[in-house]
Amino acid sequence: MKKILPLIFIGAASAVYAQPKTLTQAIITTKTTVVSPEGEDDGAPPPPPAPDGAEVRTFRFGGDGETKSVTTLKGDLVKTFTENEMSRTTVIRDNAKKATTTIMEMMGTKNGFYATDAEQEEMRKRMDSMIQARPQQGANNNAGMKVTSTDFAYTEESKKIAGMVCKKAFLVTTRQNGTKDSTVVWYCPDFKLQGITSTGGMAASFGFNFGNRNSSASGFNDLNGFPMQYEMKMQRGRKMIVEVTKLVLDKEIADKEFDVPKDVTLKSA
């Protein structure tokens, strides 16, 4: 017992000194790519033939492709600009006021919406009630799929991502039916970002954001650093690859960066 105690104390001290610092200012560029299995058509019907052999391009909500996002952090303010083939979305989050402004540009139109966390929670409750009221065909297929816990297994393997030395970890997810999934996460142990647990991902891929709900659902809250690259499994065998491509930590960010453009009229969401 006498030989074991010093080792325990050394381990505890190391854990204290290894804690990542929390940054309150940063600009993060992230690429999110959704890929289907080879030969998978994503369940969408083929496009109709075009006259004169012209190329026809179809855009599907949440389909395959690449989405780029730029997240700007300054204190309690977070702005995320997301762009893909279908739309451009700007989300301005005020963590102090617990409110979110969303500006969507699609097919030449621009709409702005403002909502507090309480208002968004009410909207989510109404949506959940509507879904539960509908006939649930094949509902048993989703029984037990709810995530009940997440945990991390850390390794010493490392590589550089966006100029930062990152380490490899496994995010282990346990579902209600007892099944476990494992996701590889490359993270930078040097820092975390205030009010942000991850960038890119689902919100970037699908072009929407519900305040900071997505970040808490990602499972990265307890990660010992900031996630720089990871993959997630999706429906129909697809996978989503998220990677930070650029990280700026030494640039002064002006307050006007978070102003709503004058040509946008905000509506209550």
Side-chain angles (χ1 to χ4, degrees), residues 5 31 34 67 96 158 184 208-209 232 240 253:
L5 283 176
K31 179 177 69 174
V34 177
T67 301
S158 65
V184 174
F208 59 82
N209 189 292
M232 293 187 68
M240 181 174 63
I253 300 170

Side-chain angles (χ1 to χ4, degrees), residues 10-72:
I10 291 173
S14 299
V16 171
Y17 286 114
Q19 291 298 313
K21 60 182 178 182
T22 300
L23 304 180
T24 59
Q25 185 167 287
I27 302 174
I28 312 101
T29 303
T30 310
K31 179 177 69 174
T32 301
T33 308
V34 177
V35 182
S36 289
E38 187 174 351
E40 173 66 50
D41 62 3
D42 199 28
D52 303 323
E55 179 185 8
V56 176
R57 302 182 70 189
T58 59
F59 304 111
R60 299 188 297 276
F61 183 77
D64 293 1
E66 182 179 292
T67 301
K68 294 181 180 179
S69 63
V70 178
T71 301
T72 305

Side-chain angles (χ1 to χ4, degrees), residues 20-232:
K21 60 182 178 182
T22 300
L23 304 180
T24 59
Q25 185 167 287
I27 302 174
I28 312 101
T29 303
T30 310
K31 179 177 69 174
T32 301
T33 308
V34 177
V35 182
S36 289
E38 187 174 351
E40 173 66 50
D41 62 3
D42 199 28
D52 303 323
E55 179 185 8
V56 176
R57 302 182 70 189
T58 59
F59 304 111
R60 299 188 297 276
F61 183 77
D64 293 1
E66 182 179 292
T67 301
K68 294 181 180 179
S69 63
V70 178
T71 301
T72 305
L73 166 69
K74 184 177 183 180
D76 289 319
L77 297 174
V78 183
K79 184 178 80 170
T80 302
F81 173 76
T82 303
E83 183 175 24
N84 56 31
E85 291 181 309
M86 295 182 298
S87 64
R88 293 154 59 97
T89 305
T90 301
V91 177
I92 302 172
R93 170 73 184 172
D94 190 326
N95 285 319
K97 295 181 179 179
K98 299 186 182 300
T100 303
T101 299
T102 303
I103 303 167
M104 300 187 69
E105 302 176 55
M106 185 179 296
M107 299 178 66
T109 62
K110 185 183 294 186
N111 297 294
F113 305 93
Y114 176 88
T116 63
D117 284 6
E119 291 170 336
Q120 292 190 63
E121 184 60 31
E122 282 300 316
M123 285 189 288
R124 281 192 285 268
K125 287 180 180 179
R126 289 198 297 269
M127 291 173 61
D128 291 343
S129 297
M130 292 172 60
I131 293 172
Q132 291 174 5
R134 296 172 183 171
Q136 296 295 310
Q137 295 182 356
N140 291 335
N141 293 336
N142 295 323
M145 295 305 291
K146 183 179 179 181
V147 174
T148 57
S149 66
T150 57
D151 199 5
F152 287 97
Y154 296 93
T155 76
E156 289 303 315
E157 188 175 346
S158 65
K159 70 175 181 178
K160 274 197 171 184
I161 301 174
M164 307 295 290
V165 177
C166 301
K167 290 190 175 182
K168 183 179 182 181
F170 294 90
L171 170 61
V172 181
T173 302
T174 304
R175 301 189 181 277
Q176 201 168 25
N177 60 6
T179 61
K180 293 180 180 290
D181 291 322
S182 176
T183 300
V184 174
V185 182
W186 290 93
Y187 70 100
C188 181
D190 297 335
F191 71 94
K192 286 191 172 187
L193 298 178
Q194 177 177 300
I196 304 175
T197 55
S198 63
T199 54
M202 283 293 186
S205 175
F206 290 97
F208 59 82
N209 189 292
F210 293 106
N212 59 0
R213 188 188 191 200
N214 181 64
S215 59
S216 62
S218 66
F220 295 133
N221 293 5
D222 299 323
L223 181 64
N224 291 339
F226 189 78
M228 299 285 286
Q229 181 181 321
Y230 62 93
E231 292 187 10
M232 293 187 68

